[in-house]
Amino acid sequence: QVQLVESGGGLVQAEGSLRLSCTTSGSIFAVAAMGWYRQAPGKQRELVATISTGGITNYTDSVKGRFTISRDNAKNTVYLQMNSLKPEDTAVYYCAASSWWYGTSWSPADFASWGQGTQVTVSS
């Protein structure tokens, strides 16, 4: 019931920055948390960050201090600001919606709705 559309991906050099956006529509009242995942070729999906409706955030250790997740509830939009990008950040980035807040423990099955993904490529 929730539709998610990512945008903002592209090609950047190492140490550069990108801001990803995820616009949501549909049953927004059912969404308690949003997350950003990424998946590189041949790799498992990796949770990057989560944010609750109230603004509580979590980050995987590899992006702490470099990435910031935020949301504008009035615009039904979630953002991922990515600074100091590294080649290992290269992946398809997906936003996802969850009906519940799971604190610091998450799995892909916790998210009922997914966007189509946006490619982020960081050159060395």
Side-chain angles (χ1 to χ4, degrees):
Q1 292 183 324
V2 177
Q3 292 80 49
L4 311 174
V5 179
E6 303 98 334
S7 63
L11 173 64
V12 298
Q13 294 183 344
E15 304 301 322
S17 298
L18 284 173
R19 188 182 74 164
L20 306 183
S21 298
C22 176
T23 58
T24 65
S25 62
S27 301
I28 304 302
F29 288 112
V31 176
M34 298 290 298
W36 284 98
Y37 272 82
R38 64 186 181 186
Q39 187 168 26
K43 303 287 187 178
Q44 296 289 326
R45 281 178 294 177
E46 177 188 27
L47 180 63
V48 177
T50 57
I51 186 168
S52 73
T53 301
I56 302 172
T57 59
N58 294 301
Y59 300 91
T60 191
D61 287 343
S62 63
V63 307
K64 287 181 179 177
R66 299 189 297 120
F67 291 11
T68 302
I69 187 172
S70 62
R71 66 189 300 163
D72 186 334
N73 290 332
K75 296 182 178 180
N76 294 323
T77 301
V78 179
Y79 304 96
L80 185 68
Q81 178 67 47
M82 304 184 294
N83 298 326
S84 301
L85 283 162
K86 304 175 181 179
E88 52 263 42
D89 295 318
T90 295
V92 177
Y93 283 71
Y94 301 89
C95 65
S98 175
S99 297
W100 306 100
W101 176 248
Y102 295 93
T104 59
S105 181
W106 295 85
S107 70
D110 296 327
F111 298 91
S113 301
W114 294 80
Q116 83 288 349
T118 185
Q119 177 70 47
V120 172
T121 302
V122 184
S123 62
S124 59

mmCIF file of all heavy atoms in Angstrom, residues 33-71:
data_model
loop_
_atom_site.group_PDB
_atom_site.id
_atom_site.type_symbol
_atom_site.label_atom_id
_atom_site.label_comp_id
_atom_site.label_asym_id
_atom_site.label_seq_id
_atom_site.Cartn_x
_atom_site.Cartn_y
_atom_site.Cartn_z
ATOM 1 N N ALA A 33 8.641 3.500 10.577
ATOM 2 C CA ALA A 33 10.071 3.679 10.392
ATOM 3 C C ALA A 33 10.422 3.552 8.922
ATOM 4 O O ALA A 33 9.756 2.839 8.163
ATOM 5 C CB ALA A 33 10.858 2.656 11.205
ATOM 6 N N MET A 34 11.483 4.238 8.529
ATOM 7 C CA MET A 34 12.027 4.138 7.188
ATOM 8 C C MET A 34 13.481 3.714 7.279
ATOM 9 O O MET A 34 14.176 4.052 8.241
ATOM 10 C CB MET A 34 11.930 5.469 6.450
ATOM 11 C CG MET A 34 10.517 5.977 6.241
ATOM 12 S SD MET A 34 9.595 4.967 5.046
ATOM 13 C CE MET A 34 10.586 5.220 3.564
ATOM 14 N N GLY A 35 13.928 2.993 6.283
ATOM 15 C CA GLY A 35 15.312 2.569 6.245
ATOM 16 C C GLY A 35 15.911 2.715 4.866
ATOM 17 O O GLY A 35 15.195 2.761 3.860
ATOM 18 N N TRP A 36 17.226 2.823 4.836
ATOM 19 C CA TRP A 36 17.992 2.786 3.603
ATOM 20 C C TRP A 36 18.847 1.526 3.614
ATOM 21 O O TRP A 36 19.591 1.281 4.569
ATOM 22 C CB TRP A 36 18.897 4.006 3.445
ATOM 23 C CG TRP A 36 18.184 5.260 3.057
ATOM 24 C CD1 TRP A 36 17.773 6.266 3.871
ATOM 25 C CD2 TRP A 36 17.820 5.645 1.726
ATOM 26 N NE1 TRP A 36 17.167 7.246 3.148
ATOM 27 C CE2 TRP A 36 17.174 6.902 1.818
ATOM 28 C CE3 TRP A 36 17.966 5.059 0.470
ATOM 29 C CZ2 TRP A 36 16.690 7.577 0.701
ATOM 30 C CZ3 TRP A 36 17.474 5.725 -0.642
ATOM 31 C CH2 TRP A 36 16.850 6.966 -0.519
ATOM 32 N N TYR A 37 18.718 0.728 2.577
ATOM 33 C CA TYR A 37 19.551 -0.433 2.351
ATOM 34 C C TYR A 37 20.411 -0.196 1.124
ATOM 35 O O TYR A 37 20.092 0.634 0.274
ATOM 36 C CB TYR A 37 18.710 -1.690 2.114
ATOM 37 C CG TYR A 37 18.328 -2.457 3.354
ATOM 38 C CD1 TYR A 37 17.238 -2.079 4.127
ATOM 39 C CD2 TYR A 37 19.048 -3.584 3.740
ATOM 40 C CE1 TYR A 37 16.882 -2.794 5.257
ATOM 41 C CE2 TYR A 37 18.697 -4.307 4.864
ATOM 42 C CZ TYR A 37 17.618 -3.914 5.613
ATOM 43 O OH TYR A 37 17.260 -4.635 6.732
ATOM 44 N N ARG A 38 21.487 -0.958 1.019
ATOM 45 C CA ARG A 38 22.277 -0.938 -0.199
ATOM 46 C C ARG A 38 22.699 -2.356 -0.546
ATOM 47 O O ARG A 38 22.838 -3.214 0.320
ATOM 48 C CB ARG A 38 23.499 -0.028 -0.075
ATOM 49 C CG ARG A 38 24.524 -0.460 0.970
ATOM 50 C CD ARG A 38 25.609 0.603 1.099
ATOM 51 N NE ARG A 38 26.625 0.235 2.076
ATOM 52 C CZ ARG A 38 27.611 1.032 2.453
ATOM 53 N NH1 ARG A 38 27.722 2.262 1.938
ATOM 54 N NH2 ARG A 38 28.496 0.616 3.354
ATOM 55 N N GLN A 39 22.895 -2.588 -1.841
ATOM 56 C CA GLN A 39 23.299 -3.897 -2.314
ATOM 57 C C GLN A 39 24.274 -3.743 -3.472
ATOM 58 O O GLN A 39 23.934 -3.173 -4.510
ATOM 59 C CB GLN A 39 22.098 -4.729 -2.756
ATOM 60 C CG GLN A 39 22.444 -6.162 -3.113
ATOM 61 C CD GLN A 39 21.222 -7.039 -3.270
ATOM 62 O OE1 GLN A 39 20.127 -6.551 -3.585
ATOM 63 N NE2 GLN A 39 21.381 -8.328 -3.044
ATOM 64 N N ALA A 40 25.468 -4.239 -3.270
ATOM 65 C CA ALA A 40 26.477 -4.280 -4.314
ATOM 66 C C ALA A 40 26.376 -5.607 -5.051
ATOM 67 O O ALA A 40 25.865 -6.590 -4.511
ATOM 68 C CB ALA A 40 27.872 -4.105 -3.714
ATOM 69 N N PRO A 41 26.856 -5.669 -6.300
ATOM 70 C CA PRO A 41 26.791 -6.926 -7.052
ATOM 71 C C PRO A 41 27.434 -8.081 -6.296
ATOM 72 O O PRO A 41 28.554 -7.967 -5.798
ATOM 73 C CB PRO A 41 27.556 -6.607 -8.336
ATOM 74 C CG PRO A 41 27.400 -5.130 -8.504
ATOM 75 C CD PRO A 41 27.432 -4.581 -7.099
ATOM 76 N N GLY A 42 26.721 -9.191 -6.198
ATOM 77 C CA GLY A 42 27.232 -10.360 -5.514
ATOM 78 C C GLY A 42 27.214 -10.278 -4.005
ATOM 79 O O GLY A 42 27.710 -11.190 -3.337
ATOM 80 N N LYS A 43 26.654 -9.222 -3.446
ATOM 81 C CA LYS A 43 26.621 -9.027 -2.005
ATOM 82 C C LYS A 43 25.190 -9.097 -1.478
ATOM 83 O O LYS A 43 24.228 -8.920 -2.228
ATOM 84 C CB LYS A 43 27.231 -7.678 -1.626
ATOM 85 C CG LYS A 43 28.658 -7.464 -2.088
ATOM 86 C CD LYS A 43 29.639 -8.281 -1.278
ATOM 87 C CE LYS A 43 31.070 -7.918 -1.642
ATOM 88 N NZ LYS A 43 32.045 -8.665 -0.825
ATOM 89 N N GLN A 44 25.074 -9.363 -0.190
ATOM 90 C CA GLN A 44 23.780 -9.318 0.472
ATOM 91 C C GLN A 44 23.357 -7.873 0.696
ATOM 92 O O GLN A 44 24.191 -6.970 0.748
ATOM 93 C CB GLN A 44 23.838 -10.051 1.811
ATOM 94 C CG GLN A 44 24.129 -11.529 1.710
ATOM 95 C CD GLN A 44 22.970 -12.301 1.130
ATOM 96 O OE1 GLN A 44 21.806 -11.965 1.346
ATOM 97 N NE2 GLN A 44 23.273 -13.348 0.382
ATOM 98 N N ARG A 45 22.063 -7.674 0.812
ATOM 99 C CA ARG A 45 21.574 -6.356 1.180
ATOM 100 C C ARG A 45 22.101 -5.969 2.549
ATOM 101 O O ARG A 45 22.093 -6.776 3.481
ATOM 102 C CB ARG A 45 20.047 -6.333 1.189
ATOM 103 C CG ARG A 45 19.410 -6.212 -0.175
ATOM 104 C CD ARG A 45 17.904 -6.253 -0.064
ATOM 105 N NE ARG A 45 17.423 -7.545 0.401
ATOM 106 C CZ ARG A 45 16.143 -7.834 0.641
ATOM 107 N NH1 ARG A 45 15.215 -6.911 0.459
ATOM 108 N NH2 ARG A 45 15.802 -9.037 1.061
ATOM 109 N N GLU A 46 22.549 -4.745 2.665
ATOM 110 C CA GLU A 46 23.124 -4.230 3.896
ATOM 111 C C GLU A 46 22.322 -3.035 4.374
ATOM 112 O O GLU A 46 22.115 -2.078 3.621
ATOM 113 C CB GLU A 46 24.588 -3.821 3.676
ATOM 114 C CG GLU A 46 25.248 -3.200 4.900
ATOM 115 C CD GLU A 46 26.613 -2.631 4.599
ATOM 116 O OE1 GLU A 46 26.857 -2.244 3.439
ATOM 117 O OE2 GLU A 46 27.448 -2.585 5.526
ATOM 118 N N LEU A 47 21.895 -3.076 5.610
ATOM 119 C CA LEU A 47 21.180 -1.945 6.184
ATOM 120 C C LEU A 47 22.147 -0.798 6.433
ATOM 121 O O LEU A 47 23.182 -0.979 7.075
ATOM 122 C CB LEU A 47 20.493 -2.343 7.486
ATOM 123 C CG LEU A 47 19.698 -1.244 8.197
ATOM 124 C CD1 LEU A 47 18.529 -0.775 7.333
ATOM 125 C CD2 LEU A 47 19.198 -1.739 9.548
ATOM 126 N N VAL A 48 21.811 0.377 5.923
ATOM 127 C CA VAL A 48 22.652 1.550 6.073
ATOM 128 C C VAL A 48 22.196 2.410 7.243
ATOM 129 O O VAL A 48 23.001 2.818 8.079
ATOM 130 C CB VAL A 48 22.663 2.382 4.774
ATOM 131 C CG1 VAL A 48 23.489 3.649 4.957
ATOM 132 C CG2 VAL A 48 23.195 1.548 3.622
ATOM 133 N N ALA A 49 20.901 2.696 7.307
ATOM 134 C CA ALA A 49 20.381 3.582 8.340
ATOM 135 C C ALA A 49 18.885 3.401 8.471
ATOM 136 O O ALA A 49 18.213 2.972 7.524
ATOM 137 C CB ALA A 49 20.705 5.043 8.019
ATOM 138 N N THR A 50 18.361 3.726 9.641
ATOM 139 C CA THR A 50 16.921 3.735 9.881
ATOM 140 C C THR A 50 16.548 5.021 10.595
ATOM 141 O O THR A 50 17.378 5.643 11.270
ATOM 142 C CB THR A 50 16.454 2.542 10.735
ATOM 143 O OG1 THR A 50 17.157 2.530 11.978
ATOM 144 C CG2 THR A 50 16.680 1.228 10.005
ATOM 145 N N ILE A 51 15.292 5.401 10.453
ATOM 146 C CA ILE A 51 14.779 6.567 11.153
ATOM 147 C C ILE A 51 13.320 6.323 11.500
ATOM 148 O O ILE A 51 12.543 5.816 10.684
ATOM 149 C CB ILE A 51 14.949 7.857 10.316
ATOM 150 C CG1 ILE A 51 14.535 9.086 11.126
ATOM 151 C CG2 ILE A 51 14.180 7.762 9.002
ATOM 152 C CD1 ILE A 51 14.956 10.395 10.473
ATOM 153 N N SER A 52 12.941 6.657 12.717
ATOM 154 C CA SER A 52 11.563 6.521 13.154
ATOM 155 C C SER A 52 10.777 7.764 12.786
ATOM 156 O O SER A 52 11.338 8.797 12.401
ATOM 157 C CB SER A 52 11.499 6.282 14.660
ATOM 158 O OG SER A 52 11.807 7.473 15.369
ATOM 159 N N THR A 53 9.458 7.672 12.921
ATOM 160 C CA THR A 53 8.620 8.835 12.665
ATOM 161 C C THR A 53 9.014 9.995 13.565
ATOM 162 O O THR A 53 8.960 11.158 13.150
ATOM 163 C CB THR A 53 7.140 8.481 12.872
ATOM 164 O OG1 THR A 53 6.779 7.413 11.983
ATOM 165 C CG2 THR A 53 6.248 9.676 12.591
ATOM 166 N N GLY A 54 9.435 9.687 14.787
ATOM 167 C CA GLY A 54 9.847 10.712 15.726
ATOM 168 C C GLY A 54 11.267 11.202 15.560
ATOM 169 O O GLY A 54 11.685 12.102 16.293
ATOM 170 N N GLY A 55 12.027 10.622 14.626
ATOM 171 C CA GLY A 55 13.364 11.109 14.344
ATOM 172 C C GLY A 55 14.502 10.341 14.993
ATOM 173 O O GLY A 55 15.652 10.787 14.928
ATOM 174 N N ILE A 56 14.227 9.207 15.624
ATOM 175 C CA ILE A 56 15.299 8.376 16.165
ATOM 176 C C ILE A 56 16.037 7.710 15.014
ATOM 177 O O ILE A 56 15.416 7.153 14.113
ATOM 178 C CB ILE A 56 14.752 7.312 17.128
ATOM 179 C CG1 ILE A 56 13.995 7.976 18.280
ATOM 180 C CG2 ILE A 56 15.880 6.439 17.663
ATOM 181 C CD1 ILE A 56 13.253 6.996 19.163
ATOM 182 N N THR A 57 17.358 7.743 15.041
ATOM 183 C CA THR A 57 18.162 7.232 13.937
ATOM 184 C C THR A 57 19.137 6.158 14.393
ATOM 185 O O THR A 57 19.581 6.135 15.542
ATOM 186 C CB THR A 57 18.950 8.357 13.258
ATOM 187 O OG1 THR A 57 19.812 8.984 14.219
ATOM 188 C CG2 THR A 57 18.008 9.398 12.676
ATOM 189 N N ASN A 58 19.480 5.262 13.458
ATOM 190 C CA ASN A 58 20.511 4.254 13.645
ATOM 191 C C ASN A 58 21.329 4.169 12.369
ATOM 192 O O ASN A 58 20.796 4.355 11.270
ATOM 193 C CB ASN A 58 19.908 2.877 13.944
ATOM 194 C CG ASN A 58 19.193 2.815 15.261
ATOM 195 O OD1 ASN A 58 19.786 3.071 16.306
ATOM 196 N ND2 ASN A 58 17.910 2.468 15.235
ATOM 197 N N TYR A 59 22.624 3.861 12.513
ATOM 198 C CA TYR A 59 23.524 3.755 11.381
ATOM 199 C C TYR A 59 24.405 2.533 11.526
ATOM 200 O O TYR A 59 24.800 2.159 12.633
ATOM 201 C CB TYR A 59 24.438 4.978 11.269
ATOM 202 C CG TYR A 59 23.730 6.282 11.079
ATOM 203 C CD1 TYR A 59 23.367 7.063 12.168
ATOM 204 C CD2 TYR A 59 23.430 6.745 9.799
ATOM 205 C CE1 TYR A 59 22.714 8.270 11.997
ATOM 206 C CE2 TYR A 59 22.782 7.954 9.616
ATOM 207 C CZ TYR A 59 22.426 8.713 10.714
ATOM 208 O OH TYR A 59 21.781 9.908 10.533
ATOM 209 N N THR A 60 24.733 1.930 10.400
ATOM 210 C CA THR A 60 25.748 0.906 10.426
ATOM 211 C C THR A 60 27.102 1.568 10.651
ATOM 212 O O THR A 60 27.316 2.723 10.271
ATOM 213 C CB THR A 60 25.737 0.089 9.118
ATOM 214 O OG1 THR A 60 26.566 -1.065 9.260
ATOM 215 C CG2 THR A 60 26.231 0.917 7.948
ATOM 216 N N ASP A 61 28.018 0.847 11.286
ATOM 217 C CA ASP A 61 29.275 1.451 11.709
ATOM 218 C C ASP A 61 30.074 2.037 10.548
ATOM 219 O O ASP A 61 30.756 3.055 10.710
ATOM 220 C CB ASP A 61 30.138 0.423 12.445
ATOM 221 C CG ASP A 61 29.624 0.108 13.832
ATOM 222 O OD1 ASP A 61 28.813 0.892 14.367
ATOM 223 O OD2 ASP A 61 30.038 -0.923 14.387
ATOM 224 N N SER A 62 30.001 1.428 9.387
ATOM 225 C CA SER A 62 30.830 1.852 8.272
ATOM 226 C C SER A 62 30.458 3.227 7.717
ATOM 227 O O SER A 62 31.246 3.820 6.977
ATOM 228 C CB SER A 62 30.791 0.816 7.146
ATOM 229 O OG SER A 62 29.486 0.688 6.615
ATOM 230 N N VAL A 63 29.279 3.740 8.048
ATOM 231 C CA VAL A 63 28.861 5.035 7.520
ATOM 232 C C VAL A 63 28.718 6.094 8.598
ATOM 233 O O VAL A 63 28.442 7.258 8.274
ATOM 234 C CB VAL A 63 27.540 4.932 6.726
ATOM 235 C CG1 VAL A 63 27.643 3.849 5.659
ATOM 236 C CG2 VAL A 63 26.360 4.670 7.655
ATOM 237 N N LYS A 64 28.912 5.739 9.847
ATOM 238 C CA LYS A 64 28.772 6.711 10.926
ATOM 239 C C LYS A 64 29.757 7.855 10.739
ATOM 240 O O LYS A 64 30.927 7.646 10.449
ATOM 241 C CB LYS A 64 28.996 6.042 12.279
ATOM 242 C CG LYS A 64 27.869 5.143 12.724
ATOM 243 C CD LYS A 64 28.149 4.520 14.084
ATOM 244 C CE LYS A 64 27.003 3.643 14.533
ATOM 245 N NZ LYS A 64 27.279 2.978 15.821
ATOM 246 N N GLY A 65 29.252 9.057 10.899
ATOM 247 C CA GLY A 65 30.076 10.233 10.715
ATOM 248 C C GLY A 65 30.139 10.724 9.293
ATOM 249 O O GLY A 65 30.626 11.837 9.043
ATOM 250 N N ARG A 66 29.673 9.920 8.333
ATOM 251 C CA ARG A 66 29.710 10.304 6.930
ATOM 252 C C ARG A 66 28.305 10.462 6.340
ATOM 253 O O ARG A 66 28.088 11.342 5.510
ATOM 254 C CB ARG A 66 30.472 9.273 6.097
ATOM 255 C CG ARG A 66 31.923 9.097 6.516
ATOM 256 C CD ARG A 66 32.683 8.231 5.518
ATOM 257 N NE ARG A 66 32.146 6.878 5.441
ATOM 258 C CZ ARG A 66 31.654 6.320 4.332
ATOM 259 N NH1 ARG A 66 31.645 7.012 3.194
ATOM 260 N NH2 ARG A 66 31.195 5.073 4.353
ATOM 261 N N PHE A 67 27.377 9.604 6.750
ATOM 262 C CA PHE A 67 26.009 9.624 6.221
ATOM 263 C C PHE A 67 25.052 10.156 7.274
ATOM 264 O O PHE A 67 25.245 9.929 8.477
ATOM 265 C CB PHE A 67 25.545 8.222 5.831
ATOM 266 C CG PHE A 67 26.234 7.624 4.636
ATOM 267 C CD1 PHE A 67 27.364 8.200 4.073
ATOM 268 C CD2 PHE A 67 25.729 6.456 4.076
ATOM 269 C CE1 PHE A 67 27.990 7.634 2.980
ATOM 270 C CE2 PHE A 67 26.346 5.880 2.978
ATOM 271 C CZ PHE A 67 27.482 6.469 2.429
ATOM 272 N N THR A 68 24.000 10.825 6.826
ATOM 273 C CA THR A 68 22.963 11.325 7.705
ATOM 274 C C THR A 68 21.599 11.014 7.109
ATOM 275 O O THR A 68 21.324 11.396 5.969
ATOM 276 C CB THR A 68 23.089 12.837 7.935
ATOM 277 O OG1 THR A 68 24.369 13.146 8.488
ATOM 278 C CG2 THR A 68 22.006 13.314 8.905
ATOM 279 N N ILE A 69 20.758 10.324 7.869
ATOM 280 C CA ILE A 69 19.395 10.073 7.445
ATOM 281 C C ILE A 69 18.486 11.099 8.101
ATOM 282 O O ILE A 69 18.672 11.446 9.268
ATOM 283 C CB ILE A 69 18.949 8.632 7.788
ATOM 284 C CG1 ILE A 69 17.577 8.326 7.179
ATOM 285 C CG2 ILE A 69 18.950 8.393 9.292
ATOM 286 C CD1 ILE A 69 17.168 6.859 7.304
ATOM 287 N N SER A 70 17.534 11.597 7.352
ATOM 288 C CA SER A 70 16.594 12.578 7.873
ATOM 289 C C SER A 70 15.264 12.417 7.156
ATOM 290 O O SER A 70 15.176 11.710 6.154
ATOM 291 C CB SER A 70 17.132 14.004 7.710
ATOM 292 O OG SER A 70 17.314 14.329 6.345
ATOM 293 N N ARG A 71 14.252 13.070 7.670
ATOM 294 C CA ARG A 71 12.943 12.984 7.036
ATOM 295 C C ARG A 71 12.182 14.277 7.199
ATOM 296 O O ARG A 71 12.374 15.020 8.167
ATOM 297 C CB ARG A 71 12.139 11.808 7.595
ATOM 298 C CG ARG A 71 11.743 11.941 9.059
ATOM 299 C CD ARG A 71 11.147 10.639 9.577
ATOM 300 N NE ARG A 71 9.956 10.241 8.829
ATOM 301 C CZ ARG A 71 9.427 9.023 8.850
ATOM 302 N NH1 ARG A 71 10.009 8.061 9.573
ATOM 303 N NH2 ARG A 71 8.341 8.756 8.142
#
